[in-house]
Amino acid sequence: RRHLPILMKDLSQQKMLKGLLLHKNFSTKWGEAYVVALFRSGLLAECVPELKRVRGLVQHDQYHRYTVDAHLLQCLREIIRVQNKPKVLGKLAPLVRAMSAKDWKILWWTGLYHDLAKGRMGDHSTEGAQLVKSEFTQMKVSLRLTIEVSWMVESHLLLSTAAFRRNPQAKGTWSFLHERGVKDQRLKRLALFTAIDIRATNPDAWNDWKESLLYQLVESVQSPKATRFM
């Protein structure tokens, strides 16, 4: 414990070292207790300074139960829970089994960054995508991971909009998603994250109705009819 301040000082001065340490030691395999400890000790905030800005940031609506930083932590915990027990997502459980190690890595970093730009000027999804590009470039993260996490952060609300506010069977909905790159593995990954994000926002917000609508949307977008149309 006495060495922690020294380590934190070193981390604050070396962006590349932060990246190396983060990508080596920050993953789902360590479990919930490890992630909670990283958040509460302040060590993760030294590696990702934007966490300090959203600490205690209240979201003034009846939907979000947690502050921004608490929601991000809860999102990471939900990723671990879903990975270990796919059945909690009901009809969407097959999506969990469709994820590769690379997909889980993308989901993991999306969980941390997707709402980090809240409280800034402008759209938090767009601003968050730019933040990922900037941070990941400085930390020497691979271009492929940077591109995919950035896209996920920018797109993380698309499926909830399409599933809950549009007709999943409509050609206009298919076009709306296709034009924004929501297809193939990105579709599955984004659908899984949408469910995780809702559960992490407010456990009471995830229900059978939303599960069914999101499932129907994924099935519809992947249908032969939608594929032929696009």
Side-chain angles (χ1 to χ4, degrees):
R1 182 178 296 175
R2 68 175 184 229
H3 296 300
L4 186 59
I6 299 174
L7 175 60
M8 292 172 71
K9 182 178 179 180
D10 288 341
L11 286 173
S12 67
Q13 296 171 349
Q14 301 183 51
K15 200 72 174 182
M16 188 184 300
L17 178 59
K18 290 182 188 180
L20 291 172
L21 287 174
L22 267 179
H23 286 267
K24 181 179 180 181
N25 298 296
F26 187 58
S27 71
T28 59
K29 68 180 181 181
W30 297 106
E32 285 189 55
Y34 177 78
V35 175
V36 171
L38 282 178
F39 264 81
R40 293 180 178 172
S41 67
L43 182 57
L44 188 59
E46 290 301 318
C47 296
V48 185
E50 282 292 314
L51 278 171
K52 298 177 183 178
R53 190 184 59 79
V54 298
R55 183 179 295 150
L57 182 62
V58 177
Q59 305 181 74
H60 297 282
D61 56 47
Q62 295 180 339
Y63 182 66
H64 290 85
R65 177 173 293 184
Y66 309 109
T67 58
V68 174
D69 58 322
H71 166 65
L72 295 177
L73 171 57
Q74 193 64 21
C75 193
L76 296 175
R77 298 178 74 178
E78 284 292 340
I79 290 173
I80 295 172
R81 292 169 185 173
V82 165
Q83 188 177 30
N84 293 330
K85 294 183 178 180
K87 289 184 178 180
V88 299
L89 294 185
K91 295 178 181 179
L92 297 172
L95 293 177
V96 177
R97 293 185 279 272
M99 295 297 107
S100 65
K102 181 185 76 173
D103 290 317
W104 285 115
K105 194 169 187 179
I106 293 169
L107 285 166
W108 187 243
W109 289 102
T110 301
L112 178 61
Y113 274 86
H114 74 286
D115 277 353
L116 263 187
K118 281 197 169 179
R120 287 186 171 196
M121 297 293 290
D123 176 68
H124 81 278
S125 298
T126 304
E127 292 294 320
Q130 293 302 318
L131 178 64
V132 169
K133 292 175 183 177
S134 174
E135 291 275 311
F136 279 32
T137 298
Q138 291 180 57
M139 293 189 294
K140 305 299 181 183
V141 177
S142 71
L143 179 60
R144 176 52 54 191
L145 183 61
T146 300
I147 290 173
E148 292 303 321
V149 174
S150 176
W151 181 87
M152 285 284 292
V153 169
E154 186 167 15
S155 308
H156 75 274
L157 296 176
L158 287 180
L159 284 192
S160 58
T161 298
F164 310 141
R165 300 181 184 179
R166 288 174 172 261
N167 179 0
Q169 305 297 332
K171 294 178 180 179
T173 301
W174 301 341
S175 295
F176 169 79
L177 296 174
H178 188 84
E179 290 167 3
R180 289 160 178 77
V182 185
K183 52 188 175 181
D184 303 323
Q185 195 64 10
R186 278 183 169 183
L187 168 64
K188 297 175 184 177
R189 197 188 304 136
L190 190 57
L192 181 56
F193 184 75
T194 300
I196 289 169
D197 191 23
I198 294 173
R199 289 171 58 89
T201 297
N202 183 342
D204 295 333
W206 180 249
N207 51 43
D208 293 342
W209 176 72
K210 288 185 177 177
E211 175 193 316
S212 295
L213 286 179
L214 192 53
Y215 173 78
Q216 290 171 21
L217 177 64
V218 174
E219 290 292 292
S220 178
V221 173
Q222 294 184 118
S223 69
K225 184 178 180 180
T227 302
R228 286 194 300 271
F229 172 75
M230 296 315 305

